[in-house]
Amino acid sequence: MAIVDDLLPHEVLQQLLSELKQALGEGEFHPAHIGHGVAEYRISEIRGDKIMWLEENALTEYQRLYFSFLDELREHLSNYFRIALPWQECHLAAYPSGSFYKRHFDQFRETNNRIFSVILYLNENWKPEDGGQLRVYESDGHYDIDPKMGRLVCFRSDLVEHEVLITNKPRFSITGWIRRDEPTPIFLG
Ligand code: OGA
Ligand code: MN
Protein backbone atom coordinates (compact mmCIF):
# COMPACT_ATOMS: atom_id res chain seq x y z
CA MET A 1 0.00 0.00 0.00
CA ALA A 2 1.45 3.33 -1.05
CA ILE A 3 -0.04 6.57 0.29
CA VAL A 4 1.27 9.81 -1.16
CA ASP A 5 0.01 13.30 -0.33
CA ASP A 6 0.36 16.50 -2.34
CA LEU A 7 1.87 14.90 -5.43
CA LEU A 8 -0.25 16.99 -7.80
CA PRO A 9 -0.42 20.80 -7.74
CA HIS A 10 -3.36 22.33 -5.89
CA GLU A 11 -4.62 24.01 -9.05
CA VAL A 12 -4.82 20.67 -10.86
CA LEU A 13 -6.76 19.12 -7.97
CA GLN A 14 -9.17 22.06 -7.89
CA GLN A 15 -9.81 21.79 -11.60
CA LEU A 16 -10.28 18.02 -11.49
CA LEU A 17 -12.80 18.50 -8.68
CA SER A 18 -14.76 21.26 -10.36
CA GLU A 19 -14.89 19.32 -13.65
CA LEU A 20 -16.10 16.26 -11.76
CA LYS A 21 -18.84 18.28 -10.06
CA GLN A 22 -19.85 19.80 -13.38
CA ALA A 23 -20.15 16.38 -15.08
CA LEU A 24 -22.10 15.10 -12.07
CA GLY A 25 -24.46 18.07 -12.24
CA GLU A 26 -24.98 17.43 -15.95
CA GLY A 27 -26.12 13.88 -15.22
CA GLU A 28 -23.06 12.18 -16.75
CA PHE A 29 -22.68 9.74 -13.84
CA HIS A 30 -24.50 6.43 -13.51
CA PRO A 31 -24.79 3.90 -10.66
CA ALA A 32 -21.78 1.61 -10.55
CA HIS A 33 -22.16 -2.10 -11.29
CA ILE A 34 -20.41 -5.02 -9.66
CA GLY A 35 -18.74 -7.81 -11.57
CA HIS A 36 -20.96 -9.31 -14.20
CA GLY A 37 -24.61 -10.20 -14.08
CA VAL A 38 -25.38 -9.13 -10.53
CA ALA A 39 -29.07 -8.31 -10.10
CA GLU A 40 -29.52 -4.55 -10.05
CA TYR A 41 -31.60 -4.48 -6.83
CA ARG A 42 -28.72 -5.94 -4.83
CA ILE A 43 -26.13 -3.48 -6.02
CA SER A 44 -27.04 -0.69 -3.60
CA GLU A 45 -26.45 -3.09 -0.71
CA ILE A 46 -22.86 -3.51 -1.86
CA ARG A 47 -21.88 -0.15 -3.29
CA GLY A 48 -23.64 3.18 -3.56
CA ASP A 49 -21.27 5.24 -5.65
CA LYS A 50 -22.02 6.80 -9.00
CA ILE A 51 -19.33 6.74 -11.64
CA MET A 52 -18.32 8.17 -14.98
CA TRP A 53 -15.76 6.29 -17.08
CA LEU A 54 -13.13 8.48 -18.70
CA GLU A 55 -12.55 7.86 -22.39
CA GLU A 56 -9.07 8.65 -23.59
CA ASN A 57 -10.38 10.54 -26.63
CA ALA A 58 -12.78 12.70 -24.61
CA LEU A 59 -10.67 14.05 -21.75
CA THR A 60 -10.66 17.59 -20.46
CA GLU A 61 -7.31 19.37 -20.23
CA TYR A 62 -6.83 18.43 -16.57
CA GLN A 63 -8.08 14.87 -16.98
CA ARG A 64 -5.50 14.50 -19.75
CA LEU A 65 -2.86 15.74 -17.34
CA TYR A 66 -3.92 13.11 -14.82
CA PHE A 67 -3.91 10.44 -17.53
CA SER A 68 -0.33 11.31 -18.46
CA PHE A 69 0.59 11.16 -14.79
CA LEU A 70 -0.94 7.65 -14.71
CA ASP A 71 0.99 6.77 -17.90
CA GLU A 72 4.20 7.70 -16.11
CA LEU A 73 3.28 5.78 -12.98
CA ARG A 74 2.35 2.75 -15.11
CA GLU A 75 5.68 2.84 -16.90
CA HIS A 76 7.53 3.16 -13.63
CA LEU A 77 5.67 0.23 -12.04
CA SER A 78 6.19 -1.82 -15.19
CA ASN A 79 9.96 -1.24 -15.11
CA TYR A 80 10.25 -1.70 -11.38
CA PHE A 81 8.33 -4.99 -11.21
CA ARG A 82 9.42 -6.14 -14.69
CA ILE A 83 5.94 -6.91 -15.90
CA ALA A 84 4.10 -5.68 -18.96
CA LEU A 85 1.42 -3.16 -18.00
CA PRO A 86 0.05 -1.94 -21.32
CA TRP A 87 -3.27 -0.44 -20.26
CA GLN A 88 -5.11 1.70 -17.74
CA GLU A 89 -8.78 2.42 -17.16
CA CYS A 90 -10.16 5.17 -15.04
CA HIS A 91 -13.43 6.53 -13.73
CA LEU A 92 -14.66 9.48 -11.70
CA ALA A 93 -16.52 8.42 -8.56
CA ALA A 94 -19.07 10.23 -6.41
CA TYR A 95 -20.37 8.69 -3.19
CA PRO A 96 -23.56 10.43 -2.00
CA SER A 97 -24.00 10.98 1.74
CA GLY A 98 -24.88 7.68 3.40
CA SER A 99 -23.25 5.50 0.75
CA PHE A 100 -20.41 2.98 1.04
CA TYR A 101 -18.68 0.14 -0.78
CA LYS A 102 -18.55 -3.15 1.12
CA ARG A 103 -15.40 -5.18 1.63
CA HIS A 104 -14.00 -6.44 -1.70
CA PHE A 105 -11.02 -6.98 -3.98
CA ASP A 106 -10.72 -4.98 -7.22
CA GLN A 107 -10.57 -8.09 -9.31
CA PHE A 108 -13.46 -9.71 -11.12
CA ARG A 109 -13.63 -13.37 -10.25
CA GLU A 110 -13.35 -14.52 -13.85
CA THR A 111 -10.51 -12.21 -14.88
CA ASN A 112 -7.17 -11.22 -13.44
CA ASN A 113 -6.16 -8.31 -15.56
CA ARG A 114 -6.17 -5.51 -12.98
CA ILE A 115 -2.81 -5.35 -11.25
CA PHE A 116 -2.70 -1.97 -9.49
CA SER A 117 -5.52 0.20 -8.17
CA VAL A 118 -4.76 3.92 -8.04
CA ILE A 119 -7.13 6.32 -6.30
CA LEU A 120 -6.85 10.09 -6.10
CA TYR A 121 -9.09 11.72 -3.50
CA LEU A 122 -10.73 15.10 -4.11
CA ASN A 123 -12.31 16.04 -0.78
CA GLU A 124 -11.47 19.43 0.62
CA ASN A 125 -11.23 19.91 4.38
CA TRP A 126 -12.03 16.28 5.08
CA LYS A 127 -12.52 15.56 8.79
CA PRO A 128 -12.60 12.17 10.51
CA GLU A 129 -16.28 12.62 11.39
CA ASP A 130 -17.07 12.95 7.67
CA GLY A 131 -16.52 9.18 7.42
CA GLY A 132 -15.86 7.64 4.02
CA GLN A 133 -12.47 6.25 5.04
CA LEU A 134 -10.82 3.60 2.92
CA ARG A 135 -10.57 0.60 5.25
CA VAL A 136 -7.72 -1.75 4.37
CA TYR A 137 -7.79 -5.32 5.66
CA GLU A 138 -4.69 -7.23 6.60
CA SER A 139 -4.35 -10.76 7.96
CA ASP A 140 -4.27 -9.48 11.54
CA GLY A 141 -6.62 -6.51 11.46
CA HIS A 142 -7.30 -3.36 9.50
CA TYR A 143 -6.48 0.33 9.26
CA ASP A 144 -8.30 3.35 7.81
CA ILE A 145 -7.16 6.01 5.36
CA ASP A 146 -8.85 9.45 5.19
CA PRO A 147 -9.90 10.34 1.62
CA LYS A 148 -8.45 13.85 1.79
CA MET A 149 -7.79 16.24 -1.07
CA GLY A 150 -4.72 15.36 -3.11
CA ARG A 151 -4.04 12.06 -1.39
CA LEU A 152 -3.14 9.25 -3.76
CA VAL A 153 -3.23 5.58 -2.81
CA CYS A 154 -1.88 2.71 -4.88
CA PHE A 155 -2.23 -0.98 -4.09
CA ARG A 156 -2.35 -4.44 -5.65
CA SER A 157 -5.85 -4.98 -7.01
CA ASP A 158 -5.82 -8.73 -6.42
CA LEU A 159 -4.20 -8.79 -2.98
CA VAL A 160 -5.52 -5.89 -0.95
CA GLU A 161 -9.01 -6.35 0.46
CA HIS A 162 -10.66 -3.04 1.20
CA GLU A 163 -13.92 -1.22 1.82
CA VAL A 164 -15.29 2.32 1.77
CA LEU A 165 -16.93 3.17 5.10
CA ILE A 166 -20.22 5.07 5.13
CA THR A 167 -19.59 8.64 4.11
CA ASN A 168 -21.45 11.44 5.86
CA LYS A 169 -20.70 13.94 3.11
CA PRO A 170 -20.57 13.61 -0.68
CA ARG A 171 -17.18 12.01 -1.41
CA PHE A 172 -15.25 12.44 -4.65
CA SER A 173 -12.36 10.56 -6.22
CA ILE A 174 -10.77 9.35 -9.42
CA THR A 175 -10.18 5.61 -9.48
CA GLY A 176 -7.91 3.94 -11.98
CA TRP A 177 -6.65 0.45 -12.64
CA ILE A 178 -3.39 -0.42 -14.27
CA ARG A 179 -3.82 -3.59 -16.29
CA ARG A 180 -1.59 -6.28 -17.64
CA ASP A 181 -3.53 -6.61 -20.87
CA GLU A 182 -5.49 -4.47 -23.25
CA PRO A 183 -9.23 -5.02 -23.06
CA THR A 184 -10.47 -7.42 -25.73
CA PRO A 185 -13.60 -6.40 -27.57
CA ILE A 186 -16.67 -8.41 -26.61
CA PHE A 187 -18.54 -9.91 -29.56
CA LEU A 188 -22.15 -10.83 -29.02
CA GLY A 189 -24.08 -13.54 -30.89
C1 OGA B 1 -13.26 0.99 -5.77
C2 OGA B 1 -12.85 1.33 -4.39
C3 OGA B 1 -12.06 2.90 -2.79
C4 OGA B 1 -12.09 4.35 -2.47
O1 OGA B 1 -13.72 1.90 -6.49
O2 OGA B 1 -13.12 -0.19 -6.14
O3 OGA B 1 -12.66 0.43 -3.63
O4 OGA B 1 -11.50 4.73 -1.44
N1 OGA B 1 -12.64 2.61 -4.04
O5 OGA B 1 -12.68 5.12 -3.21
MN1 MN C 1 -12.10 -1.28 -4.67
Side-chain angles (χ1 to χ4, degrees):
M1 169 64 67
I3 306 170
V4 188
D5 290 336
D6 306 323
L7 204 56
L8 297 165
H10 194 67
E11 185 214 342
V12 173
L13 299 170
Q14 289 291 343
Q15 289 294 333
L16 287 171
L17 176 61
S18 70
E19 287 172 1
L20 182 156
K21 285 181 174 170
Q22 191 183 338
L24 185 64
E26 288 167 359
E28 302 281 342
F29 283 55
H30 60 83
H33 298 273
I34 307 148
H36 307 289
V38 178
E40 188 87 24
Y41 70 91
R42 293 205 50 187
I43 288 171
S44 59
E45 298 168 19
I46 302 171
R47 66 187 291 188
D49 55 328
K50 295 174 90 185
I51 64 170
M52 178 185 147
W53 285 100
L54 295 178
E55 304 294 340
E56 193 137 22
N57 56 4
L59 299 174
T60 66
E61 184 187 344
Y62 288 89
Q63 289 165 355
R64 182 160 304 122
L65 229 147
Y66 187 62
F67 251 64
S68 44
F69 164 77
L70 281 182
D71 279 335
E72 254 181 80
L73 178 63
R74 191 158 56 83
E75 195 185 329
H76 180 77
L77 291 168
S78 171
N79 292 334
Y80 187 83
F81 291 106
R82 299 171 198 274
I83 44 171
L85 295 170
W87 193 255
Q88 69 208 22
E89 56 196 0
C90 205
H91 67 55
L92 308 179
Y95 286 75
S97 270
S99 67
F100 52 82
Y101 191 163
K102 292 268 189 197
R103 189 168 172 169
H104 67 282
F105 293 97
D106 280 357
Q107 191 75 275
F108 297 128
R109 211 162 278 141
E110 55 271 41
T111 54
N112 57 354
N113 41 31
R114 288 174 168 177
I115 305 297
F116 293 104
S117 304
V118 184
I119 306 169
L120 174 70
Y121 295 112
L122 297 172
N123 303 297
E124 289 173 297
N125 308 314
W126 200 260
K127 295 181 249 1
E129 61 268 29
D130 296 334
Q133 287 85 358
L134 173 65
R135 175 160 289 180
V136 179
Y137 290 93
E138 297 187 318
S139 54
D140 55 352
H142 62 74
Y143 60 93
D144 296 338
I145 298 169
D146 282 336
K148 59 178 211 172
M149 188 76 162
R151 171 166 284 176
L152 187 112
V153 300
C154 179
F155 55 89
R156 274 282 295 269
S157 307
D158 54 337
L159 297 181
V160 178
E161 202 175 6
H162 57 280
E163 129 172 53
V164 177
L165 301 183
I166 290 185
T167 183
N168 303 317
K169 274 175 47 177
R171 176 196 194 266
F172 306 114
S173 56
I174 306 181
T175 304
W177 291 279
I178 292 175
R179 295 170 53 134
R180 68 189 182 101
D181 65 349
E182 294 189 30
T184 43
I186 296 166
F187 297 102
L188 299 171

